[in-house]
Amino acid sequence: MQTFEFIIGLLTFLLIAQILSSSPNVSVDDSLYKYQLANDVWRVFYLKGHLTSFDKIGLNSDANKITSLTGLCIEFEEEDVTSCIVKNQLITINKLAYYNGKINSLTIKIGSGHY
Amino acid sequence: MTTSKGILFYDTLFSLIPLLLLINYGLFYINYSQSKSSQLLHQQNVFDKLVSAADYLVKIGLTKKSDGEIYPNLITGTDFNYEELASKIGLNHVYAGFIQKEKLNCIYRLVIYEDEIKKLYICGD
């Protein structure tokens, strides 16, 4: 009888131990930092003068430079500006730029991917 | 009678073992969980302060200033009163430069320095 009770008790203990030990992994919230980094990319493009006339060659060159520095892929959805394809997206930002005589809405994806 | 009391004693004793193990594990887990939460809170706190310091340095602190205008992300150097900044935001140390410091928590921001795109590391603890 006591063996039976012992076994039940042990099984209960193991069951609860398993439940308690499967706690979710919690990491530091860096969402604001990602947003700031994405805006840095846009700001750097602006400071380099590529956005005045939307110089795709200059934008691609600097996007590649940023990728080689940081390992992050930069992709413009609406325009042909890509350093590498984003597979695991970190963040997407929307920006407006004036070129070709009108205001254009641009979506920039930043993340890790394949080079 | 003695025999049945003896049996009852050992029966109770062996039933208590898993219960005591359970209580012991429960207390251990609560202690571990609290310690981990406290550690994570500290990490988040330091990270948030670093992010704030980095944003200030990149937007105002280290930037080129000309004719009353400020040029965010366009920096002229890394000379700055980091001790004052650290004391104001509640960190022990703050450092900004193009080389990552070991043994400190670091983040980076993208800047233009001498017409080149560079990673500016902001480190602290």
Side-chain angles (χ1 to χ4, degrees):
Chain A
M1 190 61 190
Q2 68 194 30
T3 311
F4 187 66
E5 284 175 355
F6 180 83
I7 290 166
I8 289 173
L10 194 60
L11 284 171
T12 311
F13 164 72
L14 289 171
L15 181 69
I16 293 172
Q18 199 175 11
I19 292 166
L20 289 177
S21 64
S22 61
S23 53
N25 275 333
V26 183
S27 57
V28 164
D29 178 16
D30 59 355
S31 46
L32 176 62
Y33 170 62
K34 284 178 200 170
Y35 180 75
Q36 288 174 344
L37 201 57
N39 277 285
D40 281 352
V41 170
W42 179 258
R43 180 73 189 156
V44 156
F45 286 154
Y46 169 78
L47 287 170
K48 283 292 224 168
H50 300 315
L51 297 176
T52 319
S53 55
F54 208 79
D55 170 21
K56 283 187 189 177
I57 296 168
L59 281 166
N60 273 302
S61 169
D62 281 339
N64 288 328
K65 169 82 180 175
I66 292 170
T67 300
S68 67
L69 276 174
T70 64
L72 295 171
C73 293
I74 297 163
E75 221 181 294
F76 279 49
E77 276 192 12
E78 294 85 1
E79 298 286 348
D80 189 20
V81 177
T82 306
S83 62
C84 48
I85 306 294
V86 173
K87 288 287 180 191
N88 302 309
Q89 193 172 293
L90 269 182
I91 191 162
T92 300
I93 54 169
N94 296 304
K95 291 290 182 184
L96 297 174
Y98 184 84
Y99 58 92
N100 295 338
K102 57 180 178 138
I103 298 168
N104 297 275
S105 174
L106 296 168
T107 308
I108 306 161
K109 286 199 295 188
I110 295 171
S112 58
H114 295 311
Y115 305 115
Chain B
M1 191 67 176
T2 314
T3 311
S4 64
K5 276 185 183 173
I7 289 167
L8 192 65
F9 171 74
Y10 281 110
D11 186 48
T12 312
L13 189 68
F14 283 115
S15 297
L16 278 174
I17 291 171
L19 188 65
L20 287 170
L21 279 171
L22 204 64
I23 291 167
N24 187 45
Y25 184 83
L27 288 171
F28 169 78
Y29 182 80
I30 288 166
N31 186 42
Y32 169 76
S33 187
Q34 276 182 337
S35 169
K36 208 168 179 194
S37 295
S38 172
Q39 200 180 10
L40 185 65
L41 188 64
H42 175 71
Q43 280 174 2
Q44 183 72 62
N45 199 21
V46 170
F47 182 80
D48 289 344
K49 285 178 180 176
L50 263 183
V51 167
S52 295
D55 206 44
Y56 171 76
L57 288 168
V58 163
K59 295 248 173 78
I60 299 171
L62 298 176
T63 57
K64 177 184 170 183
K65 296 157 185 84
S66 170
D67 298 328
E69 279 201 41
I70 296 170
Y71 297 85
N73 294 79
L74 181 65
I75 67 168
T76 53
T78 56
D79 290 332
F80 194 78
N81 189 350
Y82 294 111
E83 286 82 24
E84 191 186 349
L85 178 63
S87 72
K88 280 189 174 169
I89 61 170
L91 285 174
N92 294 324
H93 305 99
V94 172
Y95 154 85
F98 301 113
I99 300 165
Q100 190 172 358
K101 287 263 188 185
E102 289 174 26
K103 296 178 187 174
L104 285 178
N105 302 303
C106 291
I107 60 172
Y108 69 85
R109 295 285 298 267
L110 291 170
V111 295
I112 304 276
Y113 175 66
E114 292 180 345
D115 212 33
E116 268 192 53
I117 301 171
K118 285 186 179 268
K119 273 167 87 169
L120 180 72
Y121 290 99
I122 299 93
C123 305
D125 64 354

